[in-house]
Amino acid sequence: MHDEHPTDQSKSPPQTSEPPDTATPRDETAPNEGGSPPEEAGDPIPPAGDDIATIRRERDDQYQRLLVTTAEFDNYRKRTDRERRERAEYAAVDLLTDLLPIVDDLERALAAETEDAEVYRRGVEIIHKQLLDLLDRRGVTPIETVGTDFDPNIHQAVTQEASDSHRDGEVIEELRRGYTLRERLLRAAMVKVAQA
């Protein structure tokens, strides 16, 4: 009589009746069921026909506005240039009108027949004063020189001269008068400067 040992079922691997999953992974780039390729997340959606027409109209409107603005600016520039030229011409006409009487006086002085040098000198002094008055009305002022310290902004040193009786850098002689137009330099004064 043989001993029969019962089989230990707990030690044998479990048997499954389901076959292993051998299905291939789905290709994300494959066409959808409808046959169209899949849409990627970052792809822009092309505008419809009406949207394209709207964009073109807006583009054309912007271009027309640019043309108008450019033309208006060009006209403004031409107008301001013309007005600036006209103002300069009017200013010149006004100045020349004031100068003409002085020219008349000079011509009368040159035409006068006199041997008296003092009379002739007084006539020239009167004309000179008329010129200075005209310059003053126009805002033109002579630059003070002699006795002032040399200023390179308004003085032009032509020469230097050693001197014990003047400060170093003091203007001791005016060789040509300088002028300012209000706060603007018209012409620097030519001067001689002391050198201690």
Side-chain angles (χ1 to χ4, degrees):
M1 185 175 187
H2 297 285
D3 293 334
E4 293 182 1
H5 299 284
T7 305
D8 189 356
Q9 299 293 332
S10 62
K11 293 183 178 180
S12 62
Q15 300 295 326
T16 59
S17 60
E18 296 179 1
D21 186 7
T22 58
T24 58
R26 185 176 184 275
D27 187 359
E28 297 296 334
T29 62
N32 295 328
E33 292 180 0
S36 61
E39 294 182 357
E40 295 184 6
D43 287 347
I45 300 175
D50 292 342
D51 293 337
I52 293 176
T54 301
I55 292 172
R56 286 177 177 170
R57 282 196 303 272
E58 292 176 354
R59 178 201 62 190
D60 293 342
D61 291 343
Q62 293 288 345
Y63 181 69
Q64 289 299 323
R65 281 196 289 268
L66 176 62
L67 291 179
V68 171
T69 303
T70 303
E72 289 177 349
F73 178 77
D74 188 54
N75 292 334
Y76 169 77
R77 181 181 56 80
K78 292 178 180 178
R79 184 172 65 254
T80 54
D81 289 344
R82 183 176 63 253
E83 291 173 353
R84 184 167 54 250
R85 288 194 303 270
E86 290 175 352
R87 283 195 300 269
E89 291 173 359
Y90 291 152
V93 168
D94 194 21
L95 175 61
L96 293 174
T97 301
D98 289 342
L99 279 174
L100 291 178
I102 301 175
V103 174
D104 295 338
D105 290 342
L106 280 172
E107 291 176 346
R108 281 193 290 267
L110 291 172
E113 296 181 0
T114 180
E115 295 180 358
D116 189 343
E118 185 61 28
V119 172
Y120 191 79
R121 177 182 175 84
R122 283 200 301 268
V124 172
E125 287 176 348
I126 292 173
I127 296 172
H128 180 250
K129 186 177 183 305
Q130 289 176 329
L131 278 171
L132 292 179
D133 290 343
L134 172 60
L135 292 176
D136 184 65
R137 290 197 305 271
R138 296 288 174 171
V140 178
T141 307
I143 296 174
E144 296 294 331
T145 55
V146 177
T148 64
D149 292 330
F150 175 77
D151 184 352
N153 296 313
I154 57 176
H155 298 148
Q156 179 181 350
V158 177
T159 182
Q160 288 183 318
E161 182 177 295
S163 175
D164 295 333
S165 59
H166 298 89
R167 302 184 308 275
D168 185 49
E170 180 182 349
V171 176
I172 58 177
E173 185 179 349
E174 180 181 79
L175 305 177
R176 189 188 71 181
R177 181 164 293 183
Y179 296 91
T180 58
L181 175 60
R182 296 177 180 87
E183 299 299 326
R184 178 180 178 182
L185 179 67
L186 281 180
R187 186 179 73 180
M190 288 185 177
V191 296
K192 181 189 291 185
V193 182
Q195 187 177 20

